[in-house]
Structure formats: structure tokens, C-alpha cells
Amino acid sequence: ILILLLTGLVAGCYWNSLSCGFVFDDVSAILDNKDLRPSTPLRNLFLNDFWGTPMAEERSHKSYRPLTVLTFRLNYLFTELSAASYHLLNVVLHAVVCVLFLRVCRLFLDKTSSLVAALLFAVHPIHTEAVTGVVGRAELLSSIFLLAAFLAYTKSTSADHSIVWAPIALTVVLVAAATLCKEQGITVVGICCVHEVFVAQGFTLPMLLDTLRQVLRGKDGFPYALLQTLLKLIVLVISTLLLVIIRVQVIQSQLPVFTRFDNPAAVSPTPTRQMTFNYLLPVNAWLLLNPSELCCDWTMGTIPLVESILDLRNLATLVFYIVLGLLAYHSLRHRHSSAKTVIMALSLIVLPFIPASNLFFPVGFVVAERVLYVPSMGFCVLVAHGFKIVSHLKKISWLMIGVLLTTHAVKTFNRNWDWESEYTLFTSALKVNKNNAKLWNNVGHALENQNNYARALQYFLQATRVQPDDIGAHMNVGRTYKNLNKSKEAEDAYLVAKSLMPQVIPGKKYATRVAPNHLNVYINLANLIRANESRLEEADQLYRQAISMRPDFKQAYISRGELLLKMNKLTEARDAYLRALELDRTNADLWYNLAIVNIEMKDPSEALKNFNHALELNPRHKLALFNSALLMQESGEPKFWPEANRRFLTYVEEEPEDANGYFNLGMLAMDANENTAAERWMRKAIDLHAGFRSALFNLALLYSQSKREIEALPVLDELLRHHPEHIKGLILKGDILMNHKKDTHGAKICFERILRMDPTNVQGKHNLCVVYFEERDLPRAERCLEETLALAPNEEYVRRHLSIVRSKMAAMSAAGQPLTSAEGATITESLDSSQSDKRTKGKSSKEIKDIEKKRAAALKRLEEIERILSGD
């Protein structure tokens, strides 16, 4: 019943989170993380950080959480990027944590107090970031294994007080699993140690010190109970050290690079750094006590630095340490159950928080609500213990707890709506804190994603006013001006950002002093100015400057390669991409870009190899699929056609609205003489793209080659309606009208249109000559062919046709027949007919029929008109 109660309460508080999308860090961890895709090898999860960046790279955050990423991958496997499924699993995991927490509480609280602690934990608003934010799953999974490890460890002592090793071994495994979900999972070892010494063995601090004193003086040997405790703790500590060593090896002994904007106190001098970091402890405690003003981002100027010892905020730090000290003093000096409850509550608060406290090493944030997920367990235990103490005031105590649970549940439910979208999340944060430039930037990004560049610009400009030295804000301003087609203002903003970059100090590695994404100012500025053809060298200089500052800056090589390709410096472009591939051979886009360079260098075989490399890394890389298939098609080798067809089919699955994919499938089918399939694909392309020039022409050509010339005419009419200047379409239409419809007038209009657009067009000119011949206007046909021969003196067929016309004219002159008719084709035909009667007088009907057949065939087509149409 209690499990159902907890689960129902969690569902009631968090059901609206299912309507939320991917926001804030979810974008990097889910949408942009290639490790979630089934095409990525599973081993990559154990080589990359939480965000999909190789751990070896300096830009990696060094957050090694492969088991958490594995659950994201399972989500993707079943529902791909449906946000609801990710949120649903988070809610389920939170319910599991609540149930496990209830079991833990029962170890040192009565049933009622345990239930109060678990209920408060279930509804506490501080958990919305961990539960409703998808990346908070790291906290949820780590907490499950942390609590399970603790519960397992509590079973390591048998009824006769001997050691049971199986639970200890299970504890070590669960600790490792917790750590692979999130780093703070390892702190459960400290919680186990506290439990073993002060709860299981019942030591107080004075007793422990006295026992150690006696042992050191040699008065007594180690008590058996103490030896057992030491043995268990040694096993735990050694296991922990091994995990720490492995973890250090994974991050290659490098801490992540954070900027002063992420954590201003981390780069502040003494004593500002120490006073500020210590002040953050009461700030976090206040968020647990009064979670009324929650904010998704506490970086930058959210909490001003404590720069003076006279700063009144130091009083809050002092009060915090006094309260913590009094609680610790009370719990460590007494053996009663209350003391044991308090010491376990303090261990749950303090130990899991240490990695995020900034006290021992800097982290990439000032305050983060999600890291209070486990510490809040200790807080809930303290509240429940306080409830137990005042439980004799039954009505008042239950009323207080009822009000607390209700207000927290309502706050949690309402807080979930803030996570619905990035815009709602960051605007809600701005209501709490207006001194954080990152929040202004993020609202700007949300508006930018909606293509609302004008409003986005206002937020980015406000970010530069709040934090004038924020390089990223000035870069955002520049990018937005560029999107608004204000190139001059964009360049000015980028130049301001560039001027804020740290200066090169001789002998000091530049890369360690700058955030990798800030170097993008050089890329963005170069990308902007290279639109001006006269400034290409200037853009190249910026790329080279970025590379000199950071030789492993992959994006600089990529962008420089694109520029060099534009400058037709193909060898240098190839070298730039090869250098980028040395830094990242798993980047499909790089292999694709290199293939494009190979095509420009007239090396199709090497291009195809590199396209194939890109497709090995990303089998659904759309551009690689399309261009490699096109390359295979254009090779003219039938052995490549089946694979080209497969790639085009995959491409249209990815881009079902792109007519070009269907058109090229149609061209492949035409090459393979699969006319039915070709017609189907061409029709599909035309349906998607009305007036598709090449598809319309090739469909008409397909009909013509399939002896379906009449069906080609409406297709050609549509082609010429959209593209009246299409010369090859006019030639084909004229040919069909003259040879199949016997419409010499229509054919003549087509060929005359061609010559109006291009008087030197040999094909159009020659076909017009044929029309004159069909119309029996032999002198005009002769003059026309002479003009055509002057345009193309090497065309033998023109010379041959001219000879035929002249021979015909000579024969008719000798027979005394007129060489032309002023009345046109109809009169010519009637005259022709009468002449034929005169010529054939006295011959048999069979002979007459044979002569008429031969003449009709000769006039139908002097010769099959050469179609130089395949290049369209």
C-alpha cells in the first residue's frame, strides 16, 4: 500500500512532465548525441563522455556516465526522439528511488517518520530539474544504485556478528554501477563507513578516540569488533581507490576546461574564492528549506562574488557552519537512536554533495539544483526526525506536515510547466535572476530557433549589457545580425568578441586558457567576410589564426577546406580535410567533404571510396547517399547501377519530399531500359516539383523513345509552359509534330522560336530546312541548308541533305515542274498530287503505289534527326 501511495504521489506530481520537450542540456545529451543512434558502436559509450565527446578531447566535460547514456540509447531504440518516453522513464525511476529511500529510512526511523521522509522526498520541488530534465536521469540512476549499495552493505553482518562477504561484494558492484551513472555515486562508500562505525558498531566519537588511544598505548589489542569493522572498511576503501584510479585514467588525468563565465569564483583570487565557495553552502541549504525561487542556471553573475570579509553574506556562511557543527556534535557524542538518525542524515547531506561543492576542485557551475537530489534525502530525514520529536503535538505536527507536502506538491507540479520548452524555462529563470547573461542568451536562442531574429537580438544585446565581457553574447549578436542580413553590424559584433579573446602569452599554452567554443569567433567572422569574393584571403588568414592558437581545432580545418575549395586551391583543401581527419576519423561529414574535393580534382574513384567511408560511419548520411549514387550513375558502368539504385531509394526514405531523388531513380531506370519504373519515378518527381525541367524533358524523351510520341506532346507543352526557352524541348516537340502529327506548321513555329532565341543553333536551323522541304519550297530549303552549312561546315549530314535538295531541284527543273508554291503546303500537296498523276500516267496501279510509298518515306524523314539531347 505504501509503495502504491508513493508511486501515485509521484505520478500526480509529475504527469504533466510528459508533455515537456527536450530543453537546455537535453539538446546536447539527446538530440545532438550520436552515441544514442543504433549506427554508433556500443563501445563508443565507454570511450565518450556524457555528451558524446571523446574523453581524450580537451573540450570534453570529462563526465563519464556510460550506463546513463545506455538508457538514453534504449529510449531511442524504442521511440527514437519522442520526448514523452524519456520523461516517462524518468518519472518511473524517481518512483523507484522513493521506494528504496523508504526502505533506507526504516533502518533508523520508525514507520510513520519513514513515510513522512519518503513523501517529502517524492514531492520536493528541488527535484524537478533531476526528474523533468531528461539529463537528470544521471541523478536518478546513480541514486538507485547508491541506495541499493547501502541496503546491501547493511546486510554484511550476520546475526552472530561475523562478516558476510556476499553483500560486500554486491556493494562494490553496485558502487561501480552508481559511479558509471554519475560520479557522485562513489560517495556511498563514505555513507557505508559512517553507518558501520557509528550505527552498526555503535561507536561515538569519544569512544572511538578512546579505543584508538588505548590501542596506540599498547594496553589492549584491537577489539574483535573493531578488527571486523576495519577489515570491512579496508575492503571498501581499496575498492573505492581502484574505482578512483580507473576514473582518473578515463579522464586521462585532465580536468575539464571551464571558463570564468561558468564559475566566476573558480578563477578569483584568495580569499574571494574561498569566501564565495563557502557562501554557496548556505545558498544550497536555503534552496532545500525554501524552494520557492528555482532557476535552471546559476552561473555567471547569478551570485555575486563575496569579495570582502565585511560582506554580510559571510554571516549566512557562519550560521550554516554553526548549525552543521551543532548537529554533528550532538550526533557524534551520543549513542541513542536520535543521534544515529542525525549522523546518517548528515552523511546523506554532506558526502554526496562534496564532489559538487567546489571546495576541493572547481566544477562547471556555481549552483545546480539537480545535484541536491541525494543530499535532499538527508534533509528529508532531518525533517521527518523533527516531526517525530514534535509528534506528541499530533494535530499541529500533522497539520504542518500536511501543509508542507501540499505546498511542495503544488510547487513541483507548477514548476514542471516551466520545463515545457526552452522559452518557458529560460523566461521563468529570468523572473528569478536578471543578472545572468547566459539566461538572456538562452532566451535569445529559443527565439532564434523560432526564426524570431528581431526579438532574439534584443535578448542577446541585453546579455552584452549584463556581462559586457561575455564573448559568447557578442558572437550571438553577430550571428543574429547576419541572419537579419546586416553584415556590417554582424562584423562589428564579431570584432568586439575577437577583441575580448585572451591574448597570446609567450611560453603559455593558449588552448588551456580559452573555451574551445569561443574560438568559433574566428570561424564565424571568416564565414561572414568570405561572402565577399575580394576578402577570401582575409578569411583564410582568420582560419589560419584559429589553427595557430589551437592546432587541434577541427572545425577550423573543415571551414578552411571549404574556403580553399571555393578558391579552387584543391590540393590545399584536400590537405586541410586530411588534417581534420587525423583529429577525428569518425566524422562522416569530413569524409563527405573530402569526397567532394576528389570530384573537383577529377578523381571519381577516390571520391567514391571517401563517400563509402562516410556511409560506413553514418549509413543514412543523406548527402553522401545522394552524391555517391549520382557518381555511380554518371560512371556509365552498369555494375554500379544496383548499388546506386539502393542508395537513391535510401535517400528518398530520408528525404521523401525531394524530387531530385525520384528523378535520379528515373534516370537509372531509363539507363537500364526499365521504362515502366522510369515513368513512375519521373511522374513522382514532377508531382513533388511542378515544372521540374529535367524530369519533364526526360519523361517526354522516354515516351518518344518508347514509340509513344503522342503522349510526349502534353509533357512537352507543360515543360515549355514553365520553361519557354527550353531549346531541346522545342526540337523534340517539332520533331514529333513533323514526323508523327504531320503538323509542319506547328513544327515550323517550334524551330523558328529556337532561332529567335539562338540564331546559330544548327539543329534548329537544319530542322527548319526540313520543314521547307516538306512544304515543297525547295529554293528556300536550299538557301536554308546553305546557311546551316555556313554555321557548321564540318557537319556531313547537312552537306548531304543540301545535295539531295539540289538534285531534286535539278530533276524538277528538267521535268519543267515548279520548284515552289506561294500558297503553302496544302496547295503544294494538291499540286504534288496532280504532278504525280501526270508522272505516273500509263503506269500500273501497283507501280503507282510503290512510287508513292517511296516518296512518302523520303519526305517523312530525310534522315533520322540526330538527338543531342542526352545532356539535359
Side-chain angles (χ1 to χ4, degrees), residues 274-283 303-304 306 313-314 316-317:
Q274 289 77 13
M275 289 190 295
T276 303
F277 283 156
N278 279 280
Y279 171 66
L280 295 179
L281 302 178
V283 170
I303 299 176
V306 181
R313 289 176 295 172
N314 288 318
T317 306

Side-chain angles (χ1 to χ4, degrees), residues 545-578:
Q545 188 175 354
I547 291 168
S548 68
M549 290 177 169
R550 193 182 185 93
D552 64 345
F553 191 17
K554 178 179 66 181
Q555 187 57 47
Y557 292 104
I558 296 172
S559 297
R560 185 166 185 250
E562 293 169 358
L563 176 67
L564 292 168
L565 187 59
K566 184 177 181 180
M567 297 169 72
N568 204 32
K569 296 182 178 181
L570 302 179
T571 304
E572 290 180 60
R574 182 192 61 194
D575 293 343
Y577 286 130
L578 289 173

Side-chain angles (χ1 to χ4, degrees), residues 356-410:
S357 67
N358 279 296
L359 295 176
F360 299 99
F361 50 83
V363 293
F365 52 83
V366 179
V367 173
E369 292 164 11
R370 62 178 175 270
V371 303
L372 292 173
Y373 190 77
V374 177
S376 69
M377 294 178 186
F379 170 77
C380 293
V381 170
L382 284 179
V383 172
H385 186 53
F387 166 79
K388 179 183 176 183
I389 293 171
V390 299
S391 59
H392 60 280
L393 304 170
K394 288 187 178 180
K395 289 185 178 179
I396 295 176
S397 61
W398 278 108
L399 178 63
M400 291 172 61
I401 286 296
V403 170
L404 183 65
L405 292 176
T406 302
T407 54
H408 276 34
V410 171

Side-chain angles (χ1 to χ4, degrees), residues 22 26 30 36 50 65 67-76 82-91 93-94 97 129-145 181-182 370 373:
F22 295 116
D26 299 346
I30 309 296
L36 272 63
F50 186 54
R65 304 164 192 172
L67 293 187
T68 303
V69 180
L70 183 61
T71 66
F72 292 152
R73 184 163 173 142
L74 289 172
N75 268 119
Y76 187 92
S82 170
S85 73
Y86 294 77
H87 288 295
L88 177 62
L89 184 52
N90 272 24
V91 174
L93 292 173
H94 180 53
V97 174
E129 183 171 341
V131 180
T132 309
V134 176
V135 295
R137 187 177 299 177
E139 315 290 338
L140 305 174
L141 287 169
S142 181
S143 299
I144 288 173
F145 289 116
C181 292
K182 191 174 182 184
R370 62 178 175 270
Y373 190 77

Side-chain angles (χ1 to χ4, degrees), residues 558 561-566 568-571 573-574 577 581 588-612 614 621-631 634:
I558 296 172
E562 293 169 358
L563 176 67
L564 292 168
L565 187 59
K566 184 177 181 180
N568 204 32
K569 296 182 178 181
L570 302 179
T571 304
R574 182 192 61 194
Y577 286 130
L581 281 167
D589 291 335
L590 274 175
W591 290 105
Y592 169 79
N593 289 353
L594 184 58
I596 296 300
V597 175
N598 295 140
I599 289 175
E600 294 295 323
M601 296 179 76
K602 305 295 189 289
D603 190 352
S605 61
E606 194 63 27
L608 189 56
K609 287 180 187 176
N610 291 323
F611 279 136
N612 290 340
H621 190 292
K622 290 182 283 192
L623 290 174
L625 282 167
F626 184 87
N627 286 290
S628 62
L630 198 59
L631 193 63
E634 291 175 349

Side-chain angles (χ1 to χ4, degrees), residues 2 8 73 122 200 216 257 367 386 407 422 429 450 457-458 468 483 519 534 574 787 819:
L2 294 181
R73 184 163 173 142
L216 291 173
V257 176
V367 173
T407 54
E422 294 210 317
Q450 299 169 14
L457 180 62
Q458 300 309 310
N483 288 331
L519 278 172
S534 65
R574 182 192 61 194
E787 291 169 3
L819 300 180

Side-chain angles (χ1 to χ4, degrees), residues 516-725:
N517 62 311
H518 284 172
L519 278 172
N520 282 323
V521 67
Y522 293 96
I523 306 301
N524 294 350
L525 182 56
N527 290 346
L528 178 69
I529 66 176
R530 80 183 198 187
N532 185 339
E533 295 288 338
S534 65
R535 301 180 71 185
L536 297 182
E537 289 293 345
E538 187 181 346
D540 190 32
Q541 177 62 33
L542 285 165
Y543 292 135
R544 283 185 278 132
Q545 188 175 354
I547 291 168
S548 68
M549 290 177 169
R550 193 182 185 93
D552 64 345
F553 191 17
K554 178 179 66 181
Q555 187 57 47
Y557 292 104
I558 296 172
S559 297
R560 185 166 185 250
E562 293 169 358
L563 176 67
L564 292 168
L565 187 59
K566 184 177 181 180
M567 297 169 72
N568 204 32
K569 296 182 178 181
L570 302 179
T571 304
E572 290 180 60
R574 182 192 61 194
D575 293 343
Y577 286 130
L578 289 173
R579 177 71 181 100
L581 281 167
E582 290 175 14
L583 298 170
D584 182 9
R585 298 190 67 81
T586 63
N587 189 319
D589 291 335
L590 274 175
W591 290 105
Y592 169 79
N593 289 353
L594 184 58
I596 296 300
V597 175
N598 295 140
I599 289 175
E600 294 295 323
M601 296 179 76
K602 305 295 189 289
D603 190 352
S605 61
E606 194 63 27
L608 189 56
K609 287 180 187 176
N610 291 323
F611 279 136
N612 290 340
H613 276 304
L615 291 170
E616 285 170 12
L617 293 165
N618 180 5
R620 304 190 84 82
H621 190 292
K622 290 182 283 192
L623 290 174
L625 282 167
F626 184 87
N627 286 290
S628 62
L630 198 59
L631 193 63
M632 291 176 173
Q633 180 184 0
E634 291 175 349
S635 71
E637 296 189 38
K639 66 179 181 180
F640 287 137
W641 292 349
E643 177 61 17
N645 192 71
R646 187 194 67 78
R647 292 187 185 186
F648 278 132
L649 287 171
T650 307
Y651 176 78
V652 297
E653 287 176 14
E654 293 293 306
E655 290 287 341
E657 301 301 314
D658 186 358
N660 290 294
Y662 299 102
F663 167 71
N664 282 286
L665 281 166
M667 293 301 292
L668 268 175
M670 284 181 71
D671 291 340
N673 294 319
E674 297 172 0
N675 293 345
T676 304
E679 181 181 357
R680 184 176 74 252
W681 293 125
M682 291 296 182
R683 286 288 181 191
K684 179 70 175 176
I686 294 164
D687 289 342
L688 287 171
H689 179 188
F692 192 158
R693 180 187 177 106
S694 296
L696 285 165
F697 176 73
N698 281 283
L699 178 61
L701 192 61
L702 172 68
Y703 285 143
S704 176
Q705 292 172 344
S706 307
K707 303 191 182 305
R708 298 161 63 188
E709 291 87 352
I710 305 305
E711 292 179 58
L713 285 175
V715 179
L716 288 167
D717 288 339
E718 185 179 354
L719 169 67
L720 294 170
R721 180 167 56 85
H722 289 283
H723 308 284
E725 79 294 344

